Amino acid sequence: MSSVRTLALFVREDVRDTVRERQLQLLVAIFALLGLFVTYAADQSASATSGSGPELIPAVLPLFAMLLPLLVLGFFASAVVEKRTAGSLKILLGLPFSRRTVVLGTFLGRSLVICTAVFVSLLATAALALVLGVTIDPVRLVTVSLLLALLAVTFTAIAVSISALVRTTTRATVAAFGTFVLFFFGLWSSLPQAVLYVRYGFSFPETTPEWVDVVAAVNPVAAYVNLLAGLYPDLNSGAFIRPPSEPAVYERPSFALAVLVGWIVVTIGVGYWRFRATDL
């Protein structure tokens, strides 16, 4: 059996596992119900105040963008380590599945699951919006859907990498929660500030070196914010990170896109590299 067919077989079985465990159904239900609720609430609020209906994307985007990293990390951080602790991983590796197939196949399978949840829930939300008369910009809907999918895939790569690195599900859960807090609440940008503070004798220099801002821009959530702001400056990103008013080269959409792709490639690569040498 070729490596591509083996990978496709593993991905199919991994997706089936999420269906059997009701993860796919639960993710679709969470996003769909929240999208429907927010759309209905926004329509009622706009009708009561201005008499005109709101636009769909500004109403649902902040909530979706905030919950996606949290749910992805929460659902998928145990994807590999759970099989390891249950003993099923040894059985899988006894079949024609390599460790690379396990890591890459889990990433691809979970990416398909979360992207399906995002697209299905947005379609359901758009259907309700049409019924209520909420304004829908088709181009913005498609573009934002792709941006949310990219954000979800990025954090899926991080979650699978965490799962490949740790030895227990408890450690995976703690690492996933720490990762969410680190990236989403701006603690990532505080790390270079702390290094700078210690480096200059527990005081800040008169001018901040540019590398501090570069490190802050490499945060995947900041990259998502910069990418969204470059395309639609009027939209609320749903993150606690504000886009710059005058973006530098490393804060522009092209660089932000490269950062997100880089996080996907590097985290999966590091996860496989460590998982390959791990004694199971």
Side-chain angles (χ1 to χ4, degrees):
M1 184 181 296
S2 67
S3 58
V4 175
R5 291 185 61 187
T6 302
L7 180 62
L9 176 62
F10 187 93
V11 170
R12 185 183 66 183
E13 291 304 315
D14 189 70
V15 172
R16 286 180 175 178
D17 285 343
T18 63
V19 174
R20 283 192 292 266
E21 295 170 4
R22 300 292 189 270
Q23 287 190 358
L24 174 59
Q25 296 91 320
L26 187 56
L27 285 168
V28 171
I30 290 173
F31 284 113
L33 289 176
L34 288 175
L36 295 174
F37 174 77
V38 170
T39 302
Y40 179 78
D43 176 71
Q44 294 299 308
S45 176
S47 299
T49 55
S50 63
S52 59
E55 188 182 346
L56 175 64
I57 295 302
V60 301
L61 176 61
L63 184 61
F64 272 53
M66 183 179 67
L67 286 180
L68 260 177
L70 179 62
L71 292 178
V72 166
L73 289 168
F75 274 78
F76 299 158
S78 60
V80 176
V81 71
E82 194 173 48
K83 293 184 176 72
R84 180 176 180 175
T85 55
S88 58
L89 189 57
K90 290 184 178 180
I91 299 175
L92 283 173
L93 294 176
L95 298 172
F97 296 124
S98 64
R99 297 194 183 201
R100 181 178 61 182
T101 300
V102 170
V103 174
L104 184 57
T106 303
F107 162 66
L108 293 176
R110 302 306 161 108
S111 296
L112 287 174
V113 168
I114 192 61
C115 287
T116 300
V118 170
F119 293 145
V120 170
S121 58
L122 284 176
L123 284 175
T125 304
L128 176 64
L130 289 174
V131 173
L132 296 176
V134 175
T135 304
I136 300 177
D137 184 335
V139 176
R140 287 229 284 196
L141 177 61
V142 173
T143 305
V144 168
S145 299
L146 294 175
L147 288 179
L148 288 174
L150 179 59
L151 179 66
V153 171
T154 302
F155 274 90
T156 299
I158 296 172
V160 172
S161 179
I162 290 173
S163 193
L165 291 173
V166 300
R167 292 179 175 273
T168 66
T169 54
T170 302
R171 293 179 183 179
T173 302
V174 172
F177 178 74
T179 300
F180 177 77
V181 173
L182 174 67
F183 288 144
F184 206 86
F185 291 96
L187 294 184
W188 174 274
S189 60
S190 300
L191 294 179
Q193 294 284 354
V195 172
L196 205 63
Y197 182 74
V198 174
R199 169 69 178 79
Y200 282 86
F202 299 99
S203 63
F204 290 107
E206 295 182 359
T207 59
T208 302
E210 191 174 17
W211 65 264
V212 173
D213 295 329
V214 174
V215 172
V218 175
N219 178 351
V221 177
Y224 153 75
V225 171
N226 293 335
L227 182 56
L228 178 67
L231 298 174
Y232 300 113
D234 60 308
L235 291 179
N236 180 359
S237 65
F240 297 101
I241 298 175
R242 291 187 177 181
S245 55
E246 297 181 2
V249 174
Y250 47 83
E251 294 169 329
R252 292 175 182 170
S254 56
F255 186 87
L257 179 61
V259 167
L260 292 173
V261 174
W263 272 101
I264 295 171
V265 174
V266 172
T267 52
I268 288 298
V270 171
Y272 165 65
W273 174 65
R274 291 293 300 163
F275 185 68
R276 181 183 58 180
T278 300
D279 183 10
L280 300 178

